[in-house]
Amino acid sequence: MKLRRFLVVLAAWAVLGTAYADITGRVIGVLDGDTIDVLVDHKPVRVRLGQVDAPESRAEFGTRAKQALSKAVFAKVVHVKTSGTDRYGRTIGTVMVDGQDINRLMVAQGMAWVYRQYLTDRSLLDVEAKARQGRVGLWADPNPVAPLEWRAQRRGG
């Protein structure tokens, strides 16, 4: 009985240990301002930038957010500090390029909001406030529509 319990605990530890394993690979695609495809061991892994929410592709600043993320990561080797998966099966994490936090960069450039619902690093709020105060990126618009609101409007609710 103890052996079986030990094996169950060991199996659970192995699964959980790999579920949040950091990944490193080359960016082979940028889907929008907060989602990329990273080639890891010859397989694409879809990565959603954690704690940030960029405008949707068809929303105001959506194209510019995608362009900014592409400039920062496309064809580069990235290291992703993973924090889990979302309901779509995407890996969620902080994307790093040469030691630079790309999630933070997107907020600083005014290309993404801090996603308060999933926020764990409260210092991102200061980065967003500075971008807002400087009217950088999407903050140049006097009334930018947050992606969460934009999606709700599109759904009719």
Side-chain angles (χ1 to χ4, degrees):
M1 195 63 155
K2 286 184 180 184
L3 178 60
R4 186 181 344 186
R5 190 175 299 161
F6 172 76
L7 292 174
V8 168
V9 169
L10 183 63
W13 177 78
V15 168
L16 291 175
T18 59
Y20 298 108
D22 291 350
I23 61 172
T24 299
R26 186 169 303 277
V27 175
I28 58 170
V30 177
L31 283 71
D32 56 29
D34 56 29
T35 309
I36 61 177
D37 282 338
V38 180
L39 192 62
V40 180
D41 295 329
H42 307 289
K43 296 178 195 163
V45 176
R46 185 138 304 160
V47 176
R48 170 72 164 74
L49 277 65
Q51 303 185 76
V52 303
D53 200 11
E56 298 297 326
S57 296
R58 293 177 300 187
E60 191 75 28
F61 276 91
T63 299
R64 284 181 256 185
K66 179 179 178 179
Q67 290 169 341
L69 185 57
S70 292
K71 183 178 178 183
V73 303
F74 186 71
K76 296 181 182 174
V77 173
V78 298
H79 179 75
V80 182
K81 298 177 182 177
T82 66
S83 57
T85 57
D86 67 9
R87 63 183 175 178
Y88 304 108
R90 299 176 294 191
T91 297
I92 299 171
T94 301
V95 176
M96 307 293 291
V97 173
D98 295 327
Q100 182 177 32
D101 180 336
I102 302 303
N103 303 40
R104 183 176 296 275
L105 175 68
M106 292 298 288
V107 173
Q109 291 179 342
M111 293 297 144
W113 273 259
V114 172
Y115 207 158
R116 285 153 176 81
Q117 183 177 351
Y118 300 104
L119 181 64
T120 58
D121 179 359
R122 300 200 52 82
S123 72
L124 284 171
L125 295 171
D126 295 333
V127 175
E128 182 184 272
K130 186 175 179 181
R132 188 184 297 231
Q133 185 178 26
R135 299 178 113 14
V136 176
L138 61 88
W139 302 113
D141 184 331
N143 295 306
V145 178
L148 200 58
E149 294 172 32
W150 189 86
R151 290 186 293 267
Q153 290 171 359
R154 302 291 280 182
R155 284 192 302 270

